[in-house]
Amino acid sequence: MSTFVEKLRSYRKPGYYDEFDYHWTMTIDLDRCTGCEACVVACQAENNLPIVGEERFAQSREIKWIRIERYWEGEYPNVKMGFIPMLCQQCDDAPCETACPVYATYHNQDGLNTQIYNRCIGTRTCAVYCPYEVRYFNWFTYTWDEPLEQQLNPDVSVREKGVMEKCTFCIQRIRIAKDNAKDDDERRVRDGEVVPACVQSCPTEAMVFGNSKDPGSKVSKMMKNPRGYKVLEELNTSPSIVYLTKAHS
Amino acid sequence: MSKISRRDLLQYIGAGGVGAVGGVLYGESVQRNVELLIPQVVPPDDYSPGVASWYNTVCNQCSAGCGISVRIREGKAKKIEGNPVHPVSQGRTCARGQAGLNALYNPDRIRTPLQNAGQRGSGSFEEISWGDALATVGSRLGRLKIENNASRVRLLTGRVRGRLDELFAQFMGLLGSDHYQQYDFTYPSALMAANKTSYGTDVLPYYDIKNATFVLSFGADYLGTWISPVHHSLAYGHLRHGQEGRRGKTVQIEPRMSLTGASADEWIPARPGTEGLLALGIAHALVSDGRYQGSDRDEWSTALAAFSPARVSAETEVSDDKISQLAREFGASAASLAIAGGAAAAGTNAVASVVAVNALNHIAGNLGKPGGVIFNSEQAFSSAAASRPAGHQGVLDLTEAMEAGDVEVLLVHDANPVYALPENVRFQQALQNVPLIVALSSFPDETTEMADLILPTNTYLESWGDDVPDPGVGFPVASISQPVVAPLYDTLSAGDIVLSLARQIGGELPIRMRWGTMEEFIRDRWREEYNKRESAGEAQEFEAFWQASLEAGVWGQPGADSGGNSVPSTSSTIASIANPVSMFAGGESDYPLVLHPYLTATFLDGRGANLPWLQELPDPMTSVVYGSWAELNPATAAEMGIKDGDVLEISSPTGTVRVPALTFPAIRPDVVAMPIGQGHKGYGRYAGDRGANPIHVVANQIDTQSGELAWAATRVKIKRTGEKLQIIKTDGVTRTLGRQILAPKNDHG
Amino acid sequence: MFDHGQPSYAEVNKDVLATMLETGPKYWILLGTTMGVAGICFFMPWFYQLIVGVGAAGMNRNAVWGTYLSNFIFWIGLSHSGTLLSAVLHITNSPWRKAIYRSAEAMTLFSLMTAALFVMVHVGRVWFVHWSFPIPNQMGLWPNFRSPLMFDVMAITTYLTASSIFIYMGSVPDFAAVRDASTGLRRRLYTIFSFGWRGTAREWHTLGWAYTFFAVFVVPLAVSVHSIVSWDFALSIVPGLHHTIFAPYFVCGAIYSGTAGIVTVMYCLRKFLHFEKYIGQVHLDSLGKLLIALSLIWSYINILELFSSWYGGTSFELEALKFRLIGFYAPLYWEMILFCAFVPLLMLSKKIRWSWNKMLVISILINIGMLTERFIIVATSQPRKFLPDAFGFYFPSWIEISITIGSFAIFATLFLIFIKWVPSISIYEVKETLKPLRRDA
């Protein structure tokens, strides 16, 4: 009993997550982002996102783990466009995690919000609680027109109706990198060894991904950029994604 | 209750057993075929189950020639990424490149050779065997060759580079027809023609956006659709934050904000068709400021005298101040660069406009230096680089020949002219005069629908080939395209079809075209190239070279002599800039708005419309999916009482399309813009029959100097039809409402 | 207390038991109709939805909660008054409670059941809904006790259990009365139901003690249940939902709609089961006064909610407020204000308070208003969250509308079955209120 209490206490210790090895973090430089949406298709290809069809789009039921939001500023002719890629912010204090009654979403030791599809019963509370609206629900079981299903990534499960899904920071790639590192003399994952599909595809290199616990990693350096900020920071969700705001020449 | 005897019991057990076995058998028989996770008992030798392998090849979704790596698991393609060692893509891809898998696994692919089984264009086809199909074509071509009528055979292809281009040319040459024509709507033909005027050669120079500090783009959507978007995007990232303490500036001049315009620091909506004039106005300011010190200074100041800021400002509707500010920045920047493309290079003044921009580069001293316009040295694999200008004039000639009945066999490969030509070219009608139309295509489209015979081709992910990126990257580079998966269906690559046809026709063709397969041909040519470079080429060494190139997907010589030089020709340049304003089809009073058709980053000229991932990709600027629309300035829309979703009838002097309206904040009030790409009629289930094709209403005007289609030189009028159509968008509200989204709070106040 | 003269003990027994023992064709027609409507409007669409997915409903990515959840809150709310009112009035010893509490408690029970059904309809994978209970399993997986939904599961199951015990316990002497008045199978059944009740002093004493204990126990429970339901919303950070006032707001709203529901049920009992003798003006008058008080509290909380949204002054809250007050669903909002804040003020007039027909109309209007309130909470907050790009719109599909209609039929079915199995007026407690004049019972 006492050990059990000890264990429970340990969870409440401040900095509990600091004891773990990695904290996956992303920076997105809005001054580089051109809104080309290569990341959106890359994600769709990597993570087996369904092709939902025109009708579902009309009903706002698309599933895009990463989307580009666009915001106009000013009026013609002094009008400007701001693109911002919006994906799960992998918040350290995630509102979604407290929402789930069955623990289908939880915080893993790498600082990721993970979604366990098999455990999800589809209350959709997490999606209501998420201020970034990056959780997508499977309103239907989607199918692929033959032979498009041959493209499906065998490392990622295909979701069925009634299940919530969201960006995982390509956790399958993280796992492979970790396994490789472990096989390779139990070393740690090196910087740049693992990149999510969106980061990999980004033609302007606007996105940087890495372990923010490693002070030498590229992402740690990018996070120190004075242009850095977090979206809706006032909500105190402690996102793991740092955006770099647009600069001016 | 009577007792059950032992005999009865046995009987019951027996009957029950039979029933159970029967039930199981029945259950088994109605079950679907068992799909195994790993379908082989004996492991295949070309892959290990559960282990991914990567194969490098070349992307063919546009003409940029990006190197790609394809992830293969259990013999199936899973993911496309950029080839990290390829100098064009450097490991990156665009949305279209990623969606290549949708082309490979497209459910609408043509799976066997097909023969027209009804009225031409009715869309009813029947399957035939490859033997019959090739024999039909081969005998027809052979007969024409024997009759010395081979010039009645025409070959029209999309943009084809590398050895396939060579093979086509050789085939047509041996057949005795010099009518091998390429047509690609996106091809920057005007740019080539202008470069010929300015620099004496029709090449695409390398625009060094990466090292530039000030990029002034006249209509060129270089981040979305222009020439090599991935490469430009890499360069753009570097321009912005690639170097410590320096951030390059970009300015975009175009009537409707493109993807590139959205990323630019300044977006200047000059009057459509006057982009060249604006360039000359800036040049005038530079020369009159004394910034230009070249020996031909006087010639230039005389030539530019007519382009005073006052005149230019009045005609372009860009203020004096803005012109002089641009001139100041352009002249003062460490590395400035002006580029022209898109609608600015698609007026009746296309060449004049681009030449004017070239002149601007010349006057600012941007030629041949980092961050400017760099001319490539002689290409690697020179013959592979020999590409034909894909010209509009050629298509017009072809149409004329078809109308005149001069074409007996038309071979169409990977091109969709029925879709991508203005309706008043009357290409589709002219096709009726051709006795035999043979389409080489992977997908059914508007052009294959008109064909008598469809020879299904492999997609680029199942084909052998090679490519030399154009423009080059500053040093000799060539890439190999290899099949990353076995062909899914009973299809052949275009190269193999040509080789088979050569064997069918017989005569000298199979002797001169001796290769059994496209693979052999590519190897043979690469061996030649290798031998040319390494004088003591031994077979063993070539094999190693070939394997290494195949594995890397690309061969190159970084550091090899770069920077061929080109001397701008002042006189021809000055001669062609005299009239840099585009003329529009349709009078201003009858047709008050300028139609601005634009290529989209998703569909390009419509070829991407059959890929579901691209259909489901929200348009970068408007977030619209599955459909097309006409963009109007909110002021114009309000004036005409048009609301989003109102179906408009857009009429040009040559045609009419119906499309829903969408207000767009970043477009000139006198312009209506329409994306190209939708409005297909027979391009598979995903393209469907949705939206409208603006190319069809473009008047068939040509650029006066090059003969290229002036697709941005049509005026239109719009009328509300009273109908409503839902435009499917993923956007909610597109203003930040002062929320901390694009910048930290303190920035917004 | 009694409008038409006091009945005798025997009459009480006869009148009440008559509703159970004598069944005319009208009852069967009515029961058949409600069951049919429940089947066609509720279960068939639900099965369709089970097959295709929750996408059969109108929810989308901008509003993942829809009418299913708003109906859930509505039914939970409706459940409130029964047990709560009964318990409070029992503790405070209000004699007018005794004629109405049984059916009020039944209302609680059945609306809770209907609400629970909506949870089933709402979730994406109802076949795994048992995972939300802390059932020991080989993987050692527990529910997430930080989740307000988990609180909900706990609160509602506790409330359901307590309410069931409460109503059952109060019915035991009446079951004995049924037992005594019936023969055959029914007698055997009610012998079991009545736990062998003999009516000894000791039994009466134990019942009284236990009943009071439960009454005390149920009151905080009832308050907690709707507070907890409100936390489903209030613990999110969604603008328009993230208000500290939500718990009292929901509790007040729940009692409000529940009380109005009791008026409606009372009307029906009077009308169809001929309980005119037992349910009289005094009940109506008391409930009317209660409704006025509740409506004033409800209005006050609404004003507070608007004020705090406005006073907060953030773009988030203001935008949500704007959408609610002048957006697409504004007509519904103002309808709710009219029905729940203004219409009940009519009851200030005694003439209206004493008129059964007028009170029926008002009580139904109040519940329409409360149903709307729940819908508005769900439909106007989620589509106006934090990122304007993700602003959206929600409109229920015909399946949701049909299931909503069907849920009323389910409630009615359960109630109709109830009146044939349990005396819908507490026989022994009504007797307690009779002046002991005659001893012929």
Side-chain angles (χ1 to χ4, degrees), chain B residues 683-722:
Chain B
Y683 198 30
R685 68 189 76 178
Y686 299 109
D689 182 12
R690 58 169 66 86
N693 179 8
I695 306 177
H696 278 180
V697 295
V698 164
N700 184 25
Q701 292 219 92
I702 53 168
D703 169 39
T704 45
Q705 292 185 45
S706 67
E708 290 307 324
L709 176 65
W711 49 263
T714 306
R715 285 184 159 278
V716 291
K717 61 182 172 195
I718 58 179
K719 201 180 85 195
R720 251 186 16 201
T721 60

Side-chain angles (χ1 to χ4, degrees), chain B residues 69-80:
Chain B
S69 294
V70 186
R71 179 170 183 255
I72 307 292
R73 274 276 302 263
E74 285 86 44
K76 306 210 164 95
K78 300 295 176 189
K79 180 84 172 42
I80 292 178

Side-chain angles (χ1 to χ4, degrees), chain B residues 67-247:
Chain B
I68 51 171
S69 294
V70 186
R71 179 170 183 255
I72 307 292
R73 274 276 302 263
E74 285 86 44
K76 306 210 164 95
K78 300 295 176 189
K79 180 84 172 42
I80 292 178
E81 293 185 356
N83 179 355
V85 300
H86 198 284
V88 175
S89 56
Q90 296 170 36
R92 308 294 163 159
T93 37
C94 65
R96 282 191 310 279
Q98 293 274 355
L101 295 173
N102 277 181
L104 174 63
Y105 293 123
N106 198 301
D108 296 317
R109 275 185 64 178
I110 305 171
R111 305 182 180 199
T112 54
L114 296 173
Q115 191 176 31
N116 189 8
Q119 191 88 27
R120 175 179 283 176
S122 66
S124 79
F125 289 94
E126 60 190 15
E127 294 180 8
I128 56 167
S129 72
W130 269 108
D132 291 349
L134 290 173
T136 311
V137 186
S139 61
R140 189 80 168 249
L141 294 181
R143 187 166 52 78
L144 285 169
K145 181 174 159 53
I146 291 163
E147 290 169 359
N148 259 338
N149 261 336
S151 64
R152 289 171 64 80
V153 180
R154 306 282 172 122
L155 172 60
L156 179 66
T157 72
R159 181 89 178 109
V160 172
R161 280 202 304 247
R163 304 298 163 181
L164 186 59
D165 174 57
E166 187 189 330
L167 198 69
F168 280 147
Q170 194 177 9
F171 176 74
M172 292 301 281
L174 289 172
L175 198 65
S177 166
D178 54 357
H179 295 297
Y180 164 36
Q181 168 76 31
Q182 291 192 355
Y183 179 69
D184 180 355
F185 186 85
T186 65
Y187 190 72
S189 326
L191 196 56
M192 297 287 248
N195 288 350
K196 180 134 182 95
T197 307
S198 298
Y199 313 125
T201 53
D202 54 350
V203 293
L204 289 177
Y206 181 72
Y207 294 98
D208 192 6
I209 295 168
K210 180 177 178 181
N211 296 310
T213 55
F214 185 81
V215 176
L216 184 59
S217 160
F218 293 85
D221 180 17
Y222 54 90
L223 296 176
T225 54
W226 191 67
I227 296 184
S228 192
V230 171
H231 191 74
H232 294 152
S233 295
L234 276 159
Y236 172 83
H238 193 268
L239 167 135
R240 287 300 200 201
H241 293 289
Q243 281 151 308
E244 204 64 42
R246 198 186 87 176
R247 179 180 182 275

Side-chain angles (χ1 to χ4, degrees), chain A residues 31 37 53 80 145 155 229, chain B residues 71 247 265 616 618 686 741:
Chain A
D31 210 19
E37 300 190 307
K80 281 210 171 303
D145 291 335
D155 297 335
Y229 74 100
Chain B
R71 179 170 183 255
R247 179 180 182 275
D265 296 291
E616 300 217 330
Y686 299 109
I741 296 168

Side-chain angles (χ1 to χ4, degrees), chain C residues 50-339:
Chain C
L50 282 176
I51 293 162
V52 301
V54 193
M59 291 165 279
N60 54 46
R61 83 174 176 88
N62 310 109
V64 291
W65 282 352
T67 42
Y68 295 149
L69 211 72
S70 67
N71 287 342
F72 163 74
I73 310 161
F74 171 78
W75 284 109
I76 293 268
L78 202 57
S79 79
H80 252 62
S81 266
T83 304
L84 182 67
L85 219 59
S86 162
V88 170
L89 296 178
H90 176 77
I91 296 163
T92 54
N93 238 335
S94 313
W96 62 272
R97 138 189 197 274
K98 302 198 172 178
I100 57 168
Y101 85 89
R102 179 71 48 75
S103 34
E105 284 176 16
M107 204 174 89
T108 295
L109 207 57
F110 300 139
S111 44
L112 269 178
M113 288 176 180
T114 316
L117 261 182
F118 268 109
V119 174
M120 310 275 178
V121 178
H122 170 80
V123 298
R125 302 205 297 174
V126 68
W127 45 96
F128 292 131
V129 81
H130 58 277
W131 286 346
S132 53
F133 291 97
I135 301 166
N137 58 68
Q138 83 282 11
M139 288 189 284
L141 270 170
W142 286 89
N144 179 2
F145 290 102
R146 297 179 301 168
S147 164
L149 269 79
M150 195 61 237
F151 310 166
D152 247 14
V153 171
M154 296 296 148
I156 291 169
T157 46
T158 312
Y159 189 51
L160 189 64
T161 316
S163 297
S164 312
I165 295 173
F166 195 54
I167 189 173
Y168 194 94
M169 201 158 57
S171 307
V172 168
D174 285 359
F175 285 147
V178 181
R179 175 196 63 196
D180 297 343
S182 54
T183 52
L185 181 64
R186 195 192 294 263
R187 192 185 176 88
R188 273 164 61 183
L189 217 55
Y190 279 89
T191 310
I192 298 168
F193 286 171
S194 59
F195 294 148
W197 177 271
R198 284 170 298 155
T200 63
R202 188 182 150 77
E203 277 171 354
W204 280 112
H205 175 78
T206 312
L207 177 68
W209 179 86
Y211 198 70
T212 308
F213 169 81
F214 255 94
V216 175
F217 177 70
V218 156
V219 173
L221 200 61
V223 171
S224 79
V225 169
H226 226 67
S227 301
I228 284 170
V229 168
S230 84
W231 294 341
D232 285 356
F233 298 98
L235 289 188
S236 75
I237 51 175
V238 177
L241 298 183
H242 189 43
H243 289 288
T244 43
I245 197 79
F246 252 48
Y249 181 32
F250 269 51
V251 172
C252 160
I255 300 171
Y256 188 26
S257 77
T259 310
I262 289 174
V263 172
T264 314
V265 168
M266 268 167 49
Y267 179 92
C268 296
L269 290 177
R270 236 178 93 91
K271 180 100 186 156
F272 300 115
L273 299 181
H274 312 293
F275 281 153
E276 287 90 350
K277 270 183 247 168
Y278 309 99
I279 301 171
Q281 293 301 352
V282 62
H283 302 113
L284 196 61
D285 189 51
S286 309
L287 287 174
K289 285 175 187 158
L290 186 59
L291 278 176
I292 294 171
L294 285 167
S295 106
L296 291 175
I297 300 172
W298 185 88
S299 306
Y300 170 72
I301 293 178
N302 253 289
I303 292 165
L304 266 190
E305 197 204 351
L306 296 185
F307 173 78
S308 58
S309 288
W310 168 79
Y311 190 68
T314 61
S315 162
F316 314 132
E317 287 289 348
L318 290 178
E319 196 64 33
L321 195 63
K322 216 169 81 186
F323 187 56
R324 187 167 297 183
L325 298 187
I326 56 174
F328 181 84
Y329 283 120
L332 279 187
Y333 180 82
W334 296 110
E335 169 257 296
M336 166 192 95
I337 295 290
L338 179 69
F339 287 177

Side-chain angles (χ1 to χ4, degrees), chain A residues 170-182:
Chain A
C170 286
I171 196 165
Q172 66 278 10
R173 295 186 175 207
I174 295 174
R175 293 202 80 117
I176 289 170
K178 278 183 164 181
D179 284 353
N180 289 344
K182 197 176 154 215

Side-chain angles (χ1 to χ4, degrees), chain C residues 311-440:
Chain C
Y311 190 68
T314 61
S315 162
F316 314 132
E317 287 289 348
L318 290 178
E319 196 64 33
L321 195 63
K322 216 169 81 186
F323 187 56
R324 187 167 297 183
L325 298 187
I326 56 174
F328 181 84
Y329 283 120
L332 279 187
Y333 180 82
W334 296 110
E335 169 257 296
M336 166 192 95
I337 295 290
L338 179 69
F339 287 177
C340 295
F342 293 108
V343 168
L345 296 181
L346 292 174
M347 288 185 293
L348 287 171
S349 150
K350 190 165 179 179
K351 230 167 100 191
I352 289 173
R353 213 161 60 229
W354 279 61
S355 156
W356 278 100
N357 289 332
K358 286 176 186 141
M359 283 296 278
L360 174 73
V361 172
I362 290 175
S363 73
I364 289 175
L365 287 184
I366 288 174
N367 261 322
I368 291 175
M370 292 309 291
L371 185 66
T372 320
E373 183 210 43
R374 274 59 188 255
F375 178 74
I376 284 170
I377 285 173
V378 168
T380 64
S381 51
Q382 296 172 78
R384 290 289 180 282
K385 276 161 77 179
F386 294 98
L387 297 172
D389 182 272
F391 282 5
F393 181 68
Y394 161 70
F395 196 84
S397 73
W398 67 267
I399 286 198
E400 284 169 282
I401 294 166
S402 163
I403 284 183
T404 307
I405 294 166
S407 68
F408 286 92
I410 288 180
F411 178 77
T413 307
L414 290 171
F415 212 95
L416 284 174
I417 294 171
F418 159 81
I419 57 173
K420 290 295 160 192
W421 284 85
V422 184
S424 36
I425 286 184
S426 173
I427 300 169
Y428 72 96
E429 287 192 78
V430 166
K431 285 179 186 165
E432 282 173 18
T433 63
L434 297 180
K435 292 189 201 96
L437 287 179
R438 289 174 289 176
R439 299 187 51 85
D440 53 357

